[in-house]
């Protein structure tokens, strides 16, 4: 079918390719002319036959919001907008309302798979009405991985449910990555283990902990043995924070995912005010030596 | 090749079958005559040609220790004992010494894969000398999953390294399971998500969190929707505790795996003394109501 | 000085008494006629000379909001409202705006000390303009504990700062209580310790961990040895949740306070969906026994 | 009464002074002649009338063990040794046995209060027989803080119980310090709070979180505003590790104290292998940028 695709970055670019390979007619728009098929969102709208389906794949937050506002101007009643970015689910309701006031329908779609999705397909979690999801199903069917539809695609609920499911997915991802990483660090600390990298490699098949992430960890270690070239400074892109906030809101105990989130925060601090206070306290009551800033050059 | 196999429980029974299918001659011993090939360990030793290789697959701790003591009596110089159970790695050195005093060699082998190993193969992590590992390699090659040897087998280091790697593997497993489970609970708590089970199913393909455990979670939910039939009471079998103890010993921060371990402890308490104390404190300073035991029937 | 006081519950009732003992003229209002000095908020306003100062000491959230709306109707330009409840700091700005539109000034005041404040004084953290704080200072001086003003009172910043400081105070309180409680549980689990209660009592003087909360823990154990009469079910009143949410918002690692918050959530669950999922997973891969609901009677 | 005191460091030196002020005859030994009363342990034994009481106040571990071995040589049947250091409780049994073989009695004593104990007294937790504790009671009575004996002293149980109680005390201390420090960091991160230090000061009186540690935190901030002069690098001296190990051994959930322990480990790492692995994984699946070592100068 015909699809407008806004945003041709790492994710959108690959999705356009996968969709075209799958036989769809994709008109892509991106502010960078070298990758864009059209010059503007207005041109994009003009290039599509109504009723149109337009997939938004841009950074979450302000950029997504501005894009949806702009699409509300160039699209019309009966069109359908799909937000495939990592938007917070709380933004989906307002976006659906804003578009709905012009008769434009809305689906939120969580998309997983990263740079590997082009080849392996993307895990999809979508929220919206049955009719809207049915309408976009040919697109979803091409993007999702081969195999049983229920294994790589879910219509998770009404508007918001797709991004909610994706948010939880990413929260889990934080916990999984941290569990593997803690194990890696312990292996590396133990003299008995001749080659931690070989152990990580050996876990990719047959073990209980085998997974796609486990394979990537083995691959990463092959490319950079001992992680000698990179620092532990680790960003977070929102979903982890939102997941813990949702857990608090629902009174769900979430110690594991929260711990992995806090460790990312700590990784970005040059020094920890908390630990400065702890160190100062030890010195106060015990006369324990502290590390002066001047020493810790 | 010829192998003695002591212990024909859930794991050993399947391993005998996989090894026989692979063309090995296995003489199995188990105290339960209905599964055992011989009547005693002495008979087992008698049924094997020297130099013998005997695999021990019995519960860790006392049973393993008694078995190794007994094997020291019936085996002789040049024989090789492989402890494939979940022994703590600290027991491997003493066992190697005990057997070594009689000229018997020793390998510790961590075996992963559970009840699925019969069909899919077992992930193997072994510790011992190069010569001993080479000698038992035909057995390892049959037990491990198909594919590249480095993806399902590792000679992790000297005696103790196999069980150490398996211990860390299981510690990671605790963290992974808990991360998935926290996500499942949050999905279940959110009204937007129509069917948490369908989301879990959809994550089995294409997503970043896909894994064998993720597939098992989907399977478990199919068999018992909403986990209505089971309680949260969860045992632990030692490796999680040992992993955190090793982390402490090596000064490795391990918040995620430790949190998953503590949650298991808590799951087995009828009521929490810690929370009783917290509740009593709130009542003391704030006059906040507490739940009396008599009310909480 | 003259003060209107809205809300004569556990906190407000005692504060009225402390203020009157301190020589102030307090007109209290409460919907319960048996404790109220006047019949309505309108009567309260009528009983005070303009410019009035009115302290609000009612449950946070809806009740506080409704009270502030009602006061906006009966008070006038130049009056001053002090919200002494446990309101979330994000509500202070809107309340200040709402009142400010009528020329009414606003202070937010965090009040600590619980039922003991009547006798020992209340720790106070306030937010507002210098002029407003100076105007209410005679009230603060009577409510705060004896001693140096800087040791029991702080003008923490502009509107919102008082409740923010109180929120953090309560977050810390969660962590402190949990640390004591974990120690208590461990003492109780160890056979070497003849009488855990005696140890808790002995920590009230001379030790590094001595504190007011530590004294209350000793007192609570005297009143209910072994906490035999109460359950671990523990409420939370908002500040702990907000503190962790603020930590996430500021990217501050907060593992200790978060862990104490999550433990409260868990204490209120009859069974843990997370642990059900973990238990089901163990059963899937290992054939480990699970506790069926029918067994766990 | 007469007392031998081995070890005149920060703690022992002050204790000698407090005991002498209390009317006891103290013979102190330390390898540093400038503080020692005698030249050797043999001289110490010679200077005391049998049956002797000798208090050992030296670093835990090897030094304590060597000291006890040496005392076994110079003391005799009927004498009493008190280990007042921070020994792990598991060492008390062997020490009691070692001394007992020569007819020498043994008490383990946990001593809290740090450098402030000279003036304020030391919180004491002791383990041993009733008779031995009664014999040393005049010493304990002088060392403990003024007031009710039960508020600063406890005979916690048989040999080992004193150090066990002290270990748990210190574990709690880790959690308390971390809770205060997390709150301090959050206050410091929030713009609404004009002066975090003033808030910390204001919490020293009247609040629920007031404590001796809270007072020390305020004092430390006065001495080094913003903790500008010290780093967050924080040692741990064993008790925190042992407390978490005991929790694991007793299956006691201990998330708060464990989190504070792990944060200390992390504070001493230049970079975190765990976070390197997490960062590498993010890069693998998402193409997310990593911080190269070369950039992070």
């Amino acid at each position: 079918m015909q699809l407008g695709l806004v945003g041709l970055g790492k994710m959108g670019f690959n999705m356009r390719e996968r969709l075209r390979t799958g036989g769809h007619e994709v008109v892509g728009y991106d502010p960078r002319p070298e990758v864009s098929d059209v010059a503007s969102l207005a041109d994009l709208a003009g290039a599509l036959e109504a009723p149109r389906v337009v997939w938004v794949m841009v950074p979450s937050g302000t950029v997504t919001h501005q894009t949806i506002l702009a699409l509300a101007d160039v699209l019309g009643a009966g069109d359908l907008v799909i937000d495939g970015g990592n938007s917070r689910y709380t933004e989906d309701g307002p976006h659906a309302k804003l578009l709905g006031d012009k008769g434009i329908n809305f689906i939120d779609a969580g998309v997983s798979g990263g740079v590997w999705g082009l080849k392996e397909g993307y895990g999809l979690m979508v929220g919206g009405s049955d009719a809207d999801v049915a309408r976009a199903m040919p697109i979803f069917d091409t993007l999702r991985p081969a195999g049983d539809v229920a294994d790589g695609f879910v219509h998770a609920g009404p508007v918001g449910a797709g991004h909610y499911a994706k948010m939880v997915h990413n929260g889990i991802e934080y916990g999984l990555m941290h569990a593997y990483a803690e194990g890696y660090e312990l292996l590396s600390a133990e003299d008995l283990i001749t080659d931690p990298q070989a152990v990580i490699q050996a876990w990719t098949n047959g073990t209980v902990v085998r997974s796609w992430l486990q394979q990537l960890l083995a691959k990463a270690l092959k490319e950079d043995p001992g992680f000698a070239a990179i620092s532990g400074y680790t960003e977070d892109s929102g979903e982890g924070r939102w997941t813990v906030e949702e857990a608090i809101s629902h009174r769900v105990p979430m110690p594991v995912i929260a711990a992995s989130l806090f460790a990312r925060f700590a990784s970005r601090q040059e020094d920890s005010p908390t630990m400065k206070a702890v160190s100062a306290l030890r010195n106060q009551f015990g006369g324990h030596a502290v590390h002066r800033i001047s020493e810790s050059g």
Side-chain angles (χ1 to χ4, degrees), chain A residues 20-267:
Chain A
R20 284 180 176 164
T21 303
H24 298 283
E25 181 195 342
V26 183
V27 182
Y29 169 73
D30 191 278
R32 294 167 303 146
E34 65 273 21
V35 293
S36 189
D37 301 319
V38 290
S40 68
L41 285 182
D43 287 359
L44 180 91
L48 299 169
E49 283 171 58
R52 308 168 188 88
V53 180
V54 178
W55 186 294
V56 178
M57 205 67 196
V58 300
S60 64
T62 311
V63 182
T64 293
H65 184 62
Q66 296 300 331
T67 302
I68 299 229
L69 282 176
L71 284 174
D73 282 341
V74 299
L75 298 180
D79 289 347
L80 169 63
V81 169
I82 302 171
D83 177 8
N86 276 327
S87 299
R88 189 165 191 168
Y89 83 99
T90 48
E91 296 171 25
D92 293 325
H95 285 163
K97 173 77 172 60
L98 182 160
L99 293 165
D101 287 348
K102 305 213 169 182
I104 307 170
N105 295 331
F106 180 79
I107 285 177
D108 56 291
V111 179
S112 183
V115 294
W116 298 79
L118 169 59
K119 207 181 101 208
E120 308 195 7
Y122 300 91
L124 300 176
M125 303 136 248
V126 309
S129 72
D130 286 349
D132 288 339
V133 171
R135 181 170 162 196
M137 204 62 213
I139 299 298
F140 297 143
D141 268 329
T142 302
L143 289 176
R144 71 174 177 84
D148 192 331
V149 61
D151 292 349
F153 171 87
V154 65
H155 180 189
V159 165
H163 281 144
Y164 200 95
K166 179 61 172 19
M167 174 197 76
V168 178
H169 166 281
N170 283 30
I172 291 171
E173 185 187 295
Y174 278 50
L176 301 180
M177 290 163 70
H178 211 87
Y180 284 121
E182 286 181 359
Y184 163 74
E185 179 169 346
L186 182 55
L187 282 179
S188 304
E190 169 58 41
D191 285 343
L192 272 179
I193 303 298
T194 312
D195 181 359
Q197 187 173 333
V199 176
I200 299 290
Q201 185 67 47
W203 287 345
T204 55
N205 202 353
T207 64
V208 172
V209 304
R210 68 185 185 265
S211 71
W212 189 61
L213 281 168
Q214 166 65 24
Q215 289 174 337
L216 292 183
L217 183 60
K219 180 168 172 291
L221 274 167
K222 255 186 206 155
E223 294 170 9
D224 179 9
F227 296 131
I230 67 168
S231 93
Y233 183 106
T234 310
E235 294 288 356
D236 73 278
S237 53
E239 292 89 352
R241 276 176 270 132
W242 305 335
T243 301
V244 178
E245 287 170 358
E246 281 300 306
I248 292 172
S249 169
H250 283 293
R251 307 339 187 219
V252 167
M254 194 170 265
V256 159
I257 295 174
S260 62
L261 177 68
F262 290 143
R264 292 203 184 181
F265 293 168
S267 81

